[in-house]
Amino acid sequence: MSAANQYDRSKVVTIVNSVIAKMADSTDANQEAVIKELRGVLDVIQAFRQDIAGLRPQDLTAKHVPGATDELDAVVTATKQATDTIMSSCEVMEKAAAGKADPLAQTVSDEVTKIYEACSFQDVTGQRIKKVVGVLGEIQSKVEHLLEIVGHNDDTVSQDTRTGDARLLNGPQMPANAMSQEDIDKLLASFD
Amino acid sequence: MAVDKTMNVLVVDDYATMRRIIRNLLNQIGFPNIDEASDGSAALKMFGEKKYGMIVSDWNMEPMSGMDLLKGIRGSASENKSVPFIMVTAESKTENIIAAKQAGVNNYIVKPFNAETLKAKITAVLGAL
């Protein structure tokens, strides 16, 4: 039996209602207090369910975590591209200075070595980001499991309610969604 | 005896940029003959086909890690199974270093590193450059 089945919220409600019904048939005055307490349990369960729904946890699993993962992937891609460009420029400078016996050539060679060393950040930061992406995936999986356990099956994602400037400020776009300068120029020209 | 810098060196790392950095630093130190592999299995295949004088490998790679590459080489029937092997990795826990040493690594460099460290470790493994 899965945890979700074991703790199914509607099943608990059914059981509590069943107990209340049986107790209601009884004439024992003390049982009235038990019924009241059971109704209290029902209220707590209903309130818990409403609290969960109010938090809109599906936003976390369907929007925020996947969005954050995509942003981190974009960081890795962009830093790799920048590092490759830096490396290529260094290689050109190194070749230009190779075999020359003047102090400037030696300075270029020494400084290029320092740039190579610094570029190794891309590997280490990439590994750190990969770890964070893994943690985000784990959080998403655990939240989904918790939602399954409490019977939360609303998968509608909340809409962006921001207005004005706040709605327009979203930071860098993902490469797949971003407009190129050429597209922007065409759009601007279309107003002329 | 002076180190023969014309030896073949195999650089193994899943990050192309890191391979490029190590290749360039090795070039600067004076090693011109460098091959590259993107994981342990590709490197092991290359090891079987060519004689290498030194291997500089990352640890955390898929499908075959640098540790499995090291074990594969040391456990092989190759005449060159004792090839100098330097691990260059971001893994810096004591247990990692002990495990690598037990598997037969010759030296261990933690990323990020500089040219001076790379040269010092190569000197420690091969002798004065």
Side-chain angles (χ1 to χ4, degrees), chain A residues 76 80 83-85 87-89 91 94 109 112-113 116-117 119-124 126-127 130, chain B residues 13-18 20-21 24-25 27-28 58 60 62 89-91 111-116:
Chain A
V76 172
K80 184 184 181 310
T83 306
D84 285 344
T85 303
M87 296 279 293
S88 294
S89 295
E91 285 166 6
E94 198 174 25
S109 177
V112 161
T113 301
Y116 287 151
E117 292 167 0
C119 284
S120 67
F121 85 93
Q122 194 258 327
D123 181 23
V124 177
Q127 289 188 48
K130 196 174 169 188
Chain B
D13 201 303
D14 53 348
Y15 272 79
T17 307
M18 183 51 70
R20 195 170 168 185
I21 290 167
N24 286 341
L25 292 175
N27 283 159
Q28 287 188 344
D58 183 25
N60 192 354
E62 290 179 352
T89 174
E91 309 291 341
K111 293 176 183 174
F113 61 96
N114 58 33
E116 195 180 332

Side-chain angles (χ1 to χ4, degrees), chain A residues 49-64:
Chain A
R49 195 183 183 204
Q50 282 169 4
D51 286 348
I52 292 283
L55 290 171
R56 302 199 60 78
Q58 68 272 25
D59 284 356
L60 187 72
T61 56
K63 189 163 77 173
H64 299 317

Side-chain angles (χ1 to χ4, degrees), chain A residues 66-156:
Chain A
T69 302
D70 288 346
E71 295 283 355
L72 290 172
D73 286 341
V75 169
V76 172
T77 303
T79 52
K80 184 184 181 310
Q81 286 170 347
T83 306
D84 285 344
T85 303
I86 293 167
M87 296 279 293
S88 294
S89 295
C90 285
E91 285 166 6
V92 169
M93 286 192 285
E94 198 174 25
K95 274 181 191 159
K100 296 197 169 107
D102 65 82
L104 179 61
Q106 187 56 50
T107 302
V108 168
S109 177
D110 291 346
E111 296 308 310
V112 161
T113 301
K114 289 178 190 168
I115 296 172
Y116 287 151
E117 292 167 0
C119 284
S120 67
F121 85 93
Q122 194 258 327
D123 181 23
V124 177
T125 54
Q127 289 188 48
R128 289 194 195 285
I129 289 172
K130 196 174 169 188
K131 277 166 74 175
V132 174
V133 168
V135 170
L136 286 174
E138 190 71 15
I139 290 170
Q140 182 172 8
S141 164
K142 288 192 186 304
V143 170
E144 284 170 348
H145 187 58
L146 283 170
L147 294 181
E148 192 187 351
I149 288 171
V150 300
H152 182 85
N153 51 19
D154 179 4
D155 58 1
T156 56

